[in-house]
Amino acid sequence: MKILVPTSTTLDLAADPDLEVVGYDPSEPFDDGQLDAEVLIAWNNSADNLADAAARLHKLRLVQTLAAGPDAVVAAGFGDDVAIASGRSLHDGPVAEHTLALILAAVRRFDELFEAQQQHTWLSDYARAQAAPGTHQHFTLDGATVVVWGFGSIAGRLAPLLRMLGADVTGVAHTAGIRYGFDVVAADALGDLLGRTDVLVSLLPGSPETRDTYDAAFFAALKPGAVFVNAGRGATVDETALIAALTDGRLRVAALDVTKTEPLPADSPLWETPGVILTPHIAGGRPQGASRLVLENVRALRTGGELTNRVT
């Protein structure tokens, strides 16, 4: 079985001696000698490369993306006879760590502290603000109501860390229930939860259904002075509404690892909007256990077993 592995990653597939492992450049069209591959591993592929794969890899049976979100692969136009599997769980640890860092940076207002550092200013006003009885809850997760929208495996790693810091964590997903020991409410039954939310964390994937989930009406429903953190997908946010919510004080801070257009254009107003913390889509980027997942799914493909993380 021929498997194409991108040069953007390294996989140890030696445990399966029947695999013919062929490297490819994920930014270029495929060579003629690669067109008979049955399995394609995708990681940091260009849109043109994925479209070329969908059009020309005529024996393809499985596309295994190492990304947690399979949206780019799904959008490439592979036929119904090609299975697509995501890299769900490969990024749980790194993304949970980075999301926690964004949350803490936002709650503790590291944007203001770093700006003061650049100006050689000892920010005494900050010390007074966090000590004031009326504002101290703005500077801590202890006792904060934290809502995590998109309560999958990444949230399963993140939520216990937030709970250990004293936060009251509630998840939001398609269906209500208990996941990883936390209460989860359905997205269409939020009730007054948003109005009590101190920190809203988005881990939503990108899809037509989630596009602009966070719009003007959403930000208006949040508790005044809430913090918004997005480590999911930029397409879920109406950025004009986000900027307006920050500008008028409805939101206190927004910490974003993802934006609608990436890289973020130099003329985007997000760069200059007060209260915005930006990182360049780096929460993941280090898939853990990818070789094991690939080998498991290749085995399932051969035997007709169930593919792990199958999305189509």
Side-chain angles (χ1 to χ4, degrees):
M1 179 181 291
K2 181 179 289 187
I3 181 171
L4 301 183
V5 176
T7 54
S8 53
T9 191
T10 301
L11 297 176
D12 180 5
L13 305 179
D16 190 337
D18 294 327
L19 280 179
E20 179 187 354
V21 180
V22 178
Y24 74 96
D25 186 336
S27 64
E28 297 291 336
F30 290 90
D31 297 335
D32 290 344
Q34 299 169 339
L35 301 184
D36 59 345
E38 295 182 65
V39 178
L40 174 69
I41 308 303
W43 179 240
N44 293 333
N45 297 59
S46 69
D48 288 344
N49 173 270
L50 290 173
D52 186 53
R56 298 174 61 226
L57 298 186
H58 56 280
K59 290 190 176 181
L60 203 60
R61 299 171 60 195
L62 169 66
V63 180
Q64 172 67 67
T65 177
L66 304 185
D71 41 306
V73 172
V74 171
F78 290 96
D80 293 341
D81 57 335
V82 179
I84 296 175
S86 77
R88 182 180 183 271
S89 82
L90 299 184
H91 302 270
D92 291 357
V95 175
E97 289 173 3
H98 192 83
T99 305
L100 179 61
L102 288 176
I103 294 168
L104 292 172
V107 169
R108 299 293 295 173
R109 291 311 304 264
F110 273 28
D111 56 320
E112 293 183 344
L113 296 171
F114 286 149
E115 182 178 356
Q117 178 183 344
Q118 296 302 312
Q119 296 173 355
H120 298 193
T121 300
W122 191 262
L123 204 60
S124 299
D125 288 347
Y126 180 98
R128 286 191 288 270
Q130 73 163 345
T135 62
H136 77 278
Q137 187 60 65
H138 289 173
F139 295 89
T140 182
L141 286 175
D142 191 13
T145 297
V146 179
V147 173
V148 182
W149 198 325
F151 213 79
S153 57
I154 294 171
R157 291 286 290 271
L158 174 65
L161 303 176
L162 297 171
R163 176 182 278 170
M164 284 195 305
L165 292 172
D168 179 14
V169 182
T170 301
V172 180
H174 286 302
T175 57
I178 303 293
R179 297 187 188 179
Y180 308 104
F182 292 85
D183 290 331
V184 175
V185 300
D188 60 356
L190 287 171
D192 65 348
L193 178 60
L194 293 182
R196 297 184 284 106
T197 297
D198 297 298
V199 181
L200 190 288
V201 181
S202 177
L203 297 173
L204 278 178
S207 70
E209 293 73 28
T210 62
R211 186 171 182 82
D212 290 338
T213 293
Y214 308 111
D215 57 10
F218 171 84
F219 293 125
L222 276 177
K223 179 180 179 179
V227 169
F228 177 68
V229 177
N230 189 8
R233 285 292 183 267
T236 62
V237 180
D238 178 339
E239 291 177 351
T240 299
L242 173 63
I243 291 168
L246 287 162
T247 302
D248 67 19
R250 166 64 60 173
L251 285 179
R252 193 161 60 96
V253 195
L256 313 173
D257 185 54
V258 290
T259 55
K260 207 154 218 171
T261 301
E262 297 179 358
L264 185 65
D267 61 353
S268 169
L270 281 173
W271 290 110
E272 304 296 336
T273 301
V276 173
I277 298 171
L278 287 168
T279 57
H281 202 155
I282 54 170
R286 306 181 303 280
Q288 310 291 303
S291 298
R292 181 177 64 253
L293 175 63
V294 169
L295 290 171
E296 287 176 356
N297 274 347
V298 166
R299 188 179 308 114
L301 194 66
R302 283 200 185 103
T303 62
E306 184 174 349
L307 293 167
T308 300
N309 296 348
R310 181 166 184 166
V311 294
T312 67

